Amino acid sequence: MKVNILGTLIDNISKEKALKILFSFINSANTQTIYTPNAEICMEAYKNKTFQQVLNEGSLVIPDGQGVVLASKILKTPIDEKVAGFKLILSLLESNKPISIYLFGSNSDTVERAVSSIKKNYSNITIAGYRNGYFKDEEIPLIISDINKTKAELLLVGLGAPKQELFIHQYKDKIKCNVIMGVGGSIDVLAGKVKKVPEIFVNLSLEWFYRLLKQPKRLLRMLKIPLFLYICIKKRIFGKS
Ligand code: UDP
């Protein structure tokens, strides 16, 4: 079931169901897209309707953060649980299924380290190919043809939002992977460049606070979250945002 968060349609599903859907997408004949909006991204989508439409056309759109879950509760259409994109990728890597993946995003050194780490830790996974996420528009046809040559089943695109979602939407019909997923900074985490949030912060729903401590430059971006929740409260009280 989809929940409407200020115009962005988000799937209200459990982590287990999301993983099942991801596996079914990997076996699907058509290219499927997965987006992982958090509160900042929902706020961006609220302001930018073209971006919102792109998210709304995703095959699976998961609530990647407590901010989205809180917003859903304020709007009286509660989402049961947060489903983090990074956790979904980890569950996929940890499954014993043989899957071929192409990593696209982050800088060259980081994506190479992510590839080594996956090869070392997950013997079921084939890294079909990879490249950094910094390119000129004229390079895109070559990038896509390189991705297609590898015959990867799953393409992880980590260019940050909204760049990755717009890229996926625009080129999904040319890309021959079964699943294309926007993964934000997950390649950085897989490479060990950005640390995984410690469980204690996760349990206290304070992941955002940990990220802020580690990357203070995120503060400006995060200031959007209180505004986003304020708009949700206004919508609940007055019926319009
Ligand atoms: N990035 C990229 N190409 C770009 C801009 C960003 O590959 O043109 C990468 C950047 O190196 C980082 C990721 O995109 O690995 C964005 O990470 P961030 O944590 O900002 O993403 P979020 O998960 O917050 O969307």
Side-chain angles (χ1 to χ4, degrees), residues 36 38 40-41 64 104-107 110 131-135 157-165 183-189 193-194 211 215 217-218 221:
T36 65
N38 58 18
E40 286 161 45
I41 295 175
D64 191 342
F104 174 32
S106 198
N107 62 49
T110 308
R131 71 150 284 149
N132 70 67
Y134 294 88
F135 53 88
V157 185
L159 308 175
K163 194 171 178 185
Q164 63 205 6
E165 290 81 3
V183 296
S186 293
I187 294 173
D188 297 352
V189 187
K193 183 179 166 190
V194 174
R211 287 213 181 91
Q215 298 170 276
K217 65 175 191 306
R218 296 180 87 101
R221 278 168 51 175

Side-chain angles (χ1 to χ4, degrees), residues 7-26:
T8 303
L9 304 177
I10 297 187
D11 287 283
N12 181 13
I13 49 168
S14 65
K15 295 183 194 74
E16 294 74 26
K17 183 85 202 288
L19 186 62
K20 272 197 188 136
I21 293 176
L22 174 53
F23 284 131
S24 74
F25 282 179
I26 286 175

